[in-house]
Amino acid sequence: MNPTIDLLNAHRSVRAFAAKPVPTDHLRAAIGAGQMASTSSAVQSYCAINITDADTRREIAELSGGQAYVESAPLFLLFCADSRRHRIACEESNTAYNTRLEAFLVGAIDVALFAQNVAVAFESLGYGICFIGGIRNDLPRLDALLDIPDGVYPLYGMCVGTPAHPQPSPLRPRLPLESVLMHGRYQNDDTMREHLHAYDETYRDYLRARGEPEHQVAQAWTERMAKYYGNPRRKDVAAYFASKGAGLD
Ligand SMILES: Cc1cc2nc3c(=O)[nH]c(=O)nc-3n(C[C@H](O)[C@H](O)[C@H](O)COP(=O)(O)O)c2cc1C
């Protein structure tokens, strides 16, 4: 339709990278483009920390569940919702910082918009990216590694680099558009079920094309989601974020 939409439609996560550094001007261009994302009331509640130290990278790769590409990616950015500067602004005006859960939510929204713009900017420069939510496996350990101040909430990382394989992997298909774009009111569960069953078939075809073993292929998207949501995950994140001042408790 146009080059921007074509670029967005060509997205796939990249998890293997060539040993080629990302020049500083590309990093700065991507972050600058990220900063131009919409932001709630211009609060700009985010930051990205470029993790340059090799030992720190190794530890983050380990605590993220042994994701080797966290260590080997030419660039690894840690994205945080960030209320630090607003706390400082309050201090400077002798005002008590008084917004907590809503500020956390605003930060989580703002940093997602920022990070997605950064991702698209990198992809437009020919890089591949992969978000890393695995960093939330052990936030206290990450905190101790990086000495993260109160009011700063690490949410995910991003690996960036030139894809190791010039042949791109197949695109991961998304839900039918009709199950995401609704008109007038929320669609009923029967309609949703029809979309999910159709998507299960599409997803199985995708897994087969990727060469997944048949027992994996048999488990379509719906079953995967039941597994994913049927078990409590990362139960200690709320306590960690509360301890940093998010007011979730
Ligand atoms: C917030 C977030 C966290 C993610 N965490 C990880 C991760 O820890 N490891 C990983 O390999 N991929 C991770 N991903 C990538 C997703 O698995 C991927 O985007 C999704 O399966 C869709 O595939 P695609 O990006 O190739 O289209 C994450 C994506 C997002 C948005």
Side-chain angles (χ1 to χ4, degrees), residues 206-246:
Y206 159 75
L207 294 173
R208 248 179 230 116
R210 267 179 39 153
E212 300 280 345
E214 235 0 85
H215 72 274
Q216 292 285 356
V217 172
Q219 259 187 40
W221 186 84
T222 312
E223 281 169 67
R224 284 163 194 252
M225 292 303 113
K227 244 190 206 151
Y228 190 87
Y229 286 102
N231 292 311
R233 291 168 62 80
R234 298 178 181 143
K235 283 184 276 187
D236 52 354
V237 290
Y240 168 77
F241 288 135
S243 78
K244 303 301 284 186

Side-chain angles (χ1 to χ4, degrees), residues 89-110:
C90 283
E91 259 172 46
E92 304 251 308
S93 310
N94 290 320
T95 303
Y97 181 86
N98 240 338
T99 313
R100 292 187 190 271
L101 178 56
E102 171 62 10
F104 180 80
L105 192 57
V106 163
I109 296 166
D110 264 18

